[in-house]
Amino acid sequence: QYVYTVDGDHRARKVLVETTGGMGSRIAVKVIAGELNDGAPVVVRGAENLRDGQDVRVSGEALARRSAAGAVG
């Protein structure tokens, strides 16, 4: 299993994970390969068409949250 996160250069980064549990709409994961920090943005729509390193556009709401957290450079 994998998820895509978005780095500071707005590129998709594939992270291999294993699900370890969940509650409601939240899922706990264990990272197998790659880097996934607490609060890191995760792609929730369109991931089926992504490739590792591909440029992505971050939605306005997600971008505002990242900017407020100091994650956008």
Side-chain angles (χ1 to χ4, degrees), residues 2-73:
Y2 61 89
V3 297
Y4 281 100
T5 188
V6 180
D7 68 16
D9 294 326
H10 294 153
R11 293 185 186 274
R13 296 295 173 201
K14 190 175 190 175
V15 180
L16 299 177
V17 299
E18 174 184 315
T19 57
T20 59
M23 180 180 286
S25 63
R26 295 176 181 239
I27 299 172
V29 297
K30 175 182 175 185
V31 175
I32 304 299
E35 184 176 323
L36 184 62
N37 298 316
D38 286 344
V42 175
V43 175
V44 295
R45 281 187 276 180
E48 64 276 0
N49 299 315
L50 281 179
R51 293 181 317 275
D52 192 49
Q54 181 177 342
D55 288 333
V56 295
R57 181 174 48 94
V58 178
S59 73
E61 182 180 329
L63 186 57
R65 281 195 304 264
R66 288 185 76 194
S67 294
V72 174

